[in-house]
Amino acid sequence: MPDRPNPFRELPPTAGLPLGWKDLLGAAVTRTPPDFARDAARFLGVDDLLLTCSGTAALVVILTTLRRFSARRQVVVPAYTCPLVAIAVAHCGLDPVLCDLAPGSLDLDPAALRRLCGADTLAVVPTHLAGRVADVATAAAIARAAGAWVIEDAAQAFGARTAAGIVGTDGDFGLFSLAVGKGLTLFEGGLLHVREPALRAEMRRTAQTLLPAAPWREALRALQLAGYAAAYRPGLLPFAYGAGVRRSLRRGDPVAAAGDAFSRDIPLHRVGAWRQRVGRSAIRRLGTFLDAAAERAHRRVERLRAVTGLHVFGDGPGGRGVWPFLLVRMPDRAARDRALAVLWPAGLGVSRLFVHALPGYGFLRGLVPQEAVPNAASLADTTLTIGNSPWMSEQDFAAICGRLERAL
Ligand SMILES: *Cc1c(COP(=O)(O)O)cnc(C)c1O
């Protein structure tokens, strides 16, 4: 296989829901009330959701509110997660505490979590990484025994289900992301679920003061959303996405290539009416889109599992996660790097989830403890992602499988 099978075509690394001109124009001319959160709540089957300008902003709203109720200062987060989670904790004047993952798993290690939870633990953040359904019950039991809140990070899992219910609703709080690359997108956006109705009012009050109207910022986001709608197609992604990835890889900067390089500045503002109407229009297609993605993923997971040496992360009993991409673990770092060397620049939608465990990011130095989190580090070193976009043909997928087999 040449470096790039087709220089005029590029697959996205995640299965984003494409937006059409009808979504954008309809949002400009209709007079439907811009209450996207209500449509999102109806989609999930929950009473109420609060719309924020990002998943990170939802976390800031939660933590800012909890700080008013408690003098506890520590927030336990997975050692392998989005760096924005640690940035949000620090932004609120709280201390991120890193919990390693269980060996070979995407769940927090219960033994480590038990050791870390104590009288200063404000909250624990079990996280549904890669759209996979995490074991929230175990983490929640440990957190609650220590008197801590449970914040379920479902940023990558909007629409996922557990055996008994809805991912994002088992914690005291649940957050979802509507950022680019996470399925349904407003370019940037977030949703917050609060289980206790009494706390809902508190969160709403916090959001009202913390997220002011910001017309210029909103105008920029609206342009970015329109740009996404226009450029999110295989013929334009080489320019809108792939060129930047390949430039970063040539520079030897995988953090930039994976889109992991975050600023410590967290934009906090309200989401405007037009973007909400775009969301209302697009969410009508989301159910069908997610079902097709799951069906495609299940077939491809089976194919990959037939390859000795590959592990593909799936869901526990009864879990029905969402499938933005397949998260594949290889036997060791060398094999993973051999595969990535060819596949990451190839325009086939192969990428990485988070490049490092949190202590590995230079820009988090001084913000997260520099300590050994071997299971999280091993996950970062041995995994890659295969995008699950509907544009990935069987031929594309076969080419990726062939490359993985050779790398083994
Ligand atoms: C993306 C992400 C976030 C942050 O969401 P934004 O909407 O990008 O602010 C938080 N946690 C996880 C696990 C994520 O993947």
Side-chain angles (χ1 to χ4, degrees):
M1 191 171 79
D3 271 8
R4 286 178 69 192
N6 180 351
F8 302 109
R9 179 169 174 270
E10 178 108 25
L11 298 173
T14 65
L17 177 70
L19 297 178
W21 291 110
K22 281 191 185 149
D23 298 317
L24 308 191
L25 292 177
V29 300
T30 57
R31 307 193 66 84
T32 48
D35 193 356
F36 170 72
R38 209 184 41 193
D39 285 38
R42 196 173 303 142
F43 176 84
L44 278 192
V46 300
D47 286 348
D48 189 62
L49 288 171
L50 179 63
L51 178 65
T52 58
C53 59
S54 66
T56 309
L59 186 54
V60 169
V61 168
I62 297 167
L63 293 175
T64 303
T65 309
L66 294 184
R67 269 199 72 159
R68 291 207 297 269
F69 300 143
S70 170
R72 295 179 176 219
R73 281 291 169 270
Q74 297 184 342
V75 179
V76 181
V77 306
Y80 187 76
T81 188
C82 179
L84 287 168
V85 172
I87 291 174
V89 172
H91 172 93
C92 296
L94 299 164
D95 301 324
V97 171
L98 307 187
C99 183
D100 203 358
L101 306 182
S105 158
L106 300 176
D107 282 316
L108 296 172
D109 180 7
L113 185 59
R114 237 171 255 123
R115 270 196 310 280
L116 294 169
C117 282
D120 203 25
T121 309
L122 179 65
V124 173
V125 188
T127 301
H128 301 276
L129 290 166
R132 310 280 42 82
V133 179
D135 174 8
V136 175
T138 302
I142 298 168
R144 287 180 179 134
W149 301 95
V150 178
I151 302 172
E152 207 178 326
D153 183 344
Q156 304 184 2
F158 184 73
R161 304 255 154 187
T162 63
I166 299 153
V167 161
T169 63
D170 285 332
D172 300 298
F173 314 99
L175 65 98
F176 304 94
S177 171
L178 306 168
V180 164
K182 303 218 177 157
L184 175 62
T185 185
L186 304 182
F187 197 81
E188 290 279 14
L191 289 162
L192 165 53
H193 180 261
V194 183
R195 222 174 34 186
E196 287 283 331
L199 280 172
R200 256 175 229 166
E202 292 290 336
M203 293 290 160
R204 246 172 232 291
R205 245 194 305 281
T206 308
Q208 215 121 59
T209 51
L210 215 56
L211 310 178
W216 287 108
R217 175 78 75 170
E218 182 59 27
L220 171 66
R221 290 287 184 256
L223 274 174
Q224 288 170 317
L225 183 59
Y228 165 85
Y232 194 74
R233 54 197 78 227
L236 289 177
L237 281 171
F239 314 101
Y241 165 73
V245 170
R246 281 178 282 278
R247 207 177 316 120
S248 299
L249 291 176
R250 278 195 301 273
R251 271 205 318 266
D253 188 349
V255 171
D260 274 7
F262 296 106
S263 139
R264 290 195 183 187
D265 174 47
I266 302 174
L268 295 172
H269 59 96
R270 212 162 290 159
V271 176
W274 181 72
R275 284 199 296 145
Q276 292 198 48
R277 289 203 189 94
V278 173
R280 294 196 63 176
S281 170
I283 202 171
R284 290 178 297 175
R285 299 190 301 276
L286 186 63
T288 314
F289 182 81
L290 290 179
D291 287 347
E295 189 273 328
R296 196 165 51 239
H298 288 131
R299 260 188 298 122
R300 290 180 176 172
V301 167
E302 285 317 305
R303 164 75 176 85
L304 288 166
R305 283 185 175 155
V307 180
T308 320
L310 289 188
H311 173 80
V312 191
F313 287 90
D315 295 316
R320 284 193 291 133
V322 290
W323 293 90
F325 45 78
L326 315 184
L327 181 62
V328 179
R329 195 180 64 219
M330 303 196 61
D332 52 49
R333 183 176 186 160
R336 195 283 308 266
D337 286 347
R338 274 196 301 278
L340 271 184
V342 181
L343 285 170
W344 201 350
L348 288 171
V350 171
S351 182
R352 287 170 74 172
L353 181 45
F354 306 116
V355 169
H356 298 298
L358 293 182
Y361 291 99
F363 60 85
L364 291 182
R365 212 56 51 79
L367 199 145
V368 300
Q370 291 297 308
E371 55 197 19
V373 279
N375 300 329
S378 157
L379 193 70
D381 286 345
T382 57
T383 53
L384 55 79
T385 59
I386 302 175
N388 188 32
S389 142
W391 296 315
M392 183 185 285
S393 66
E394 296 308 320
Q395 194 186 347
D396 296 323
F397 182 67
I400 293 169
C401 291
R403 264 300 159 186
L404 291 175
E405 280 164 353
R406 255 167 290 167
L408 290 163

